[in-house]
Amino acid sequence: ATRNPAWPTRMEFALTTACNLQCVMCSGEFSSAIRSHREGLPPLPQRYGDEFLEELSPFLPHLEQARFLGGEPFLADINFRIWERMVELGATAECNVTTNGTLWTPRIERVLEALPFSIGISIDGVSRETVEAVRQGASHDRIMENLSRFVAYRDRRGTSLSLTFCLMVQNWHEFVDYLLF
């Protein structure tokens, strides 16, 4: 493809704080679950809808990479609407998502098959006890099951997969085991 310098080739999207976990190192600024449960605050307003999607659409076919982070990207309807619009427009950008690995749905499967996704999964531990203590609300078993699905996806599609670890007092004792994992 010929590069057109009039258009950006990379965009990063952190459009919502929608999240299903209350991680110990996070705050309500990044997680709707923490904002609601731990901080007792009302939800932040949703700012991105139809008008935003229409304004964004001309940029999507020119992208080489689109990064999605903030909260849990696979919970945010606006992210799915962007991915689905990319598919409609014939965009081929690599979509990079940082996820907590707790979700796997038919809608996720559809966008994964339609676009090339590179996935980063935040795990922050190896043992059930540590993962579930740090990533409050997560199921270690579900994360491991979904990790296997994401690995199979990566192998089939030739994309990348990475794991992230936020080194803290609560999990430092598992860092070596994590690296070996």
Side-chain angles (χ1 to χ4, degrees), residues 19 21-25 72 99-102 121-125 129-139 143 164 166 168:
C19 192
L21 301 183
Q22 297 182 59
C23 301
V24 297
M25 68 292 221
E72 168 50 54
T99 176
N100 61 34
T102 60
I121 303 176
S122 303
I123 297 179
D124 301 315
E129 294 73 29
T130 298
V131 169
E132 293 180 1
V134 170
R135 301 204 145 262
Q136 295 178 355
S139 159
I143 292 170
T164 63
C166 184
M168 303 174 288

Side-chain angles (χ1 to χ4, degrees), residues 16 18 68-77 79-80 83 97-100:
T16 79
F68 295 84
L69 48 130
E72 168 50 54
F74 288 128
L75 270 181
D77 185 63
N79 291 339
F80 282 97
W83 296 322
V97 172
T98 301
T99 176
N100 61 34

Side-chain angles (χ1 to χ4, degrees), residues 29-138:
E29 185 179 352
F30 305 104
S31 166
S32 59
I34 291 173
R35 185 172 173 85
S36 170
H37 301 295
R38 196 186 302 166
E39 297 174 357
L41 296 172
L44 292 171
Q46 297 298 314
R47 304 268 185 220
Y48 303 98
D50 295 340
E51 186 177 337
F52 171 75
L53 193 59
E54 290 309 314
E55 290 174 359
L56 180 63
S57 291
F59 293 85
L60 298 176
H62 303 280
L63 295 179
E64 294 172 14
Q65 185 182 63
R67 299 190 71 215
F68 295 84
L69 48 130
E72 168 50 54
F74 288 128
L75 270 181
D77 185 63
I78 187 62
N79 291 339
F80 282 97
R81 293 182 67 199
I82 292 169
W83 296 322
E84 290 159 358
R85 179 64 55 91
M86 290 173 73
V87 172
E88 287 172 22
L89 296 171
T92 58
E94 173 196 40
C95 296
N96 182 290
V97 172
T98 301
T99 176
N100 61 34
T102 60
L103 302 173
W104 189 273
T105 66
R107 195 175 188 193
I108 292 171
E109 285 186 53
R110 281 194 299 277
V111 295
L112 288 175
E113 291 310 317
L115 293 165
F117 275 77
S118 290
I119 306 291
I121 303 176
S122 303
I123 297 179
D124 301 315
V126 177
S127 71
R128 171 177 283 99
E129 294 73 29
T130 298
V131 169
E132 293 180 1
V134 170
R135 301 204 145 262
Q136 295 178 355

